[in-house]
């Protein structure tokens, strides 16, 4: 809504296009190639990001592409990125859990090595330390292989529960992992 208001204020045409994981980008390419006066594209990608080749092709037609995508290599000329402050988001989440009395907080660490996933985990550890709570490696799960994110979350939660270390709250690197973890917790 804010983007539409800002676009209207500056006489900019805004055409939202919903992108889905593993989508066929031909509609997006066609719109970019057939639009007169199109200067740029703002993309908010689905969960696993957009292939670099999509950005490369778009940049053959438009001058700028802005992506809210933590998985993208932003070294292409004309490709710009915006990402949320992962440390602050993770810290605020932990602060909320701690203010609600949680002291034994589990964490499912994503298999992904992206910087935002590491930053969220760092925020988790930092918030524990600031609250005077030592990091307990038995409450953090990582290194489980295979499957999609939800399956990973499911298996990671089963691993965490099997350790016999009680916890009252759980953080996960992303929503898909959290959904898998919730499913495993319901089955337990």
């Amino acid at each position: 809504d804010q983007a539409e208001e800002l676009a209207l204020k500056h006489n900019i045409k805004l055409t939202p296009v919903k992108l889905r994981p593993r989508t066929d980008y031909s509609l997006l390419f066609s719109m970019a190639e057939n639009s007169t006066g199109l200067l740029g594209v703002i993309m908010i990608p689905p969960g696993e990001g957009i292939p670099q080749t999509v950005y490369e092709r778009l940049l053959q037609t438009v001058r700028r592409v802005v992506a809210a995508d933590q998985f993208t290599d932003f070294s292409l000329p004309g490709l710009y990125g915006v990402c949320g402050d992962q440390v602050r988001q993770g810290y605020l989440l932990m602060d909320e859990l701690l203010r609600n009395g949680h002291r034994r907080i589990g964490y499912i660490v994503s298999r992904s090595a992206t910087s935002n996933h590491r930053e969220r985990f760092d925020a988790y550890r930092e918030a524990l330390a600031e609250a005077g709570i030592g990091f307990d490696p038995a409450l953090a799960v990582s290194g489980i292989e295979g499957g999609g994110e939800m399956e990973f979350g499911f298996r990671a939660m089963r691993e965490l529960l099997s350790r016999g270390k009680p916890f009252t709250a759980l953080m996960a690197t992303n929503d898909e992992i959290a959904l898998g973890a919730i499913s495993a917790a319901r089955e337990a």
Side-chain angles (χ1 to χ4, degrees):
D1 291 339
Q2 289 177 336
E4 289 175 358
E5 282 180 33
L6 191 59
L8 283 171
K9 181 180 175 183
H10 294 282
N11 199 25
I12 297 170
K13 181 182 176 189
L14 188 63
T15 306
V17 177
K18 177 121 174 120
L19 298 174
R20 291 177 174 73
R22 294 182 250 336
T23 194
D24 175 7
Y25 295 98
S26 58
L27 174 64
L28 182 62
F29 297 141
S30 176
M31 286 176 63
E33 291 162 2
N34 296 315
S35 294
T36 54
L38 181 65
L39 299 175
V41 176
I42 299 172
M43 300 180 73
I44 302 172
E48 68 252 1
I50 293 175
Q52 194 76 4
T53 54
V54 171
Y55 293 121
E56 291 168 357
R57 179 151 175 208
L58 277 172
L59 285 166
Q60 293 172 5
T61 307
V62 299
R63 293 192 339 219
R64 289 187 179 85
V65 174
V66 177
D69 183 358
Q70 72 266 21
F71 301 104
T72 298
D73 171 9
F74 292 105
S75 63
L76 288 172
L79 179 59
Y80 302 91
V82 293
C83 293
D85 182 343
Q86 301 302 319
V87 173
R88 180 156 172 70
Q89 289 173 4
Y91 188 84
L92 289 172
L93 255 168
M94 282 297 292
D95 184 57
E96 181 68 20
L97 293 172
L98 292 163
R99 282 189 296 114
N100 282 288
H102 297 282
R103 296 294 175 264
R104 307 249 335 132
I105 303 168
Y107 196 97
I108 298 178
V109 183
S110 172
R111 298 171 296 192
S112 171
T114 61
S115 63
N116 69 325
H117 292 178
R118 286 190 309 273
E119 289 169 354
R120 282 187 203 148
F121 185 60
D122 291 346
Y124 161 80
R125 292 181 67 161
E126 181 181 318
L128 286 173
E130 285 184 17
I133 302 169
F135 170 68
D136 182 350
L139 292 177
V141 178
S142 66
I144 294 176
E145 294 299 321
E149 292 285 84
M150 282 182 66
E151 182 181 340
F152 169 76
F154 183 90
R155 292 189 319 198
M157 177 60 110
R158 289 181 81 179
E159 167 66 27
L160 189 58
L161 292 169
S162 74
R163 293 178 181 178
K165 295 283 240 174
F167 56 96
T168 60
L170 177 76
M171 280 185 59
T173 306
N174 63 39
D175 293 342
E176 291 86 6
I177 290 173
L179 288 171
I182 291 168
S183 180
R186 285 185 177 150
E187 281 189 15

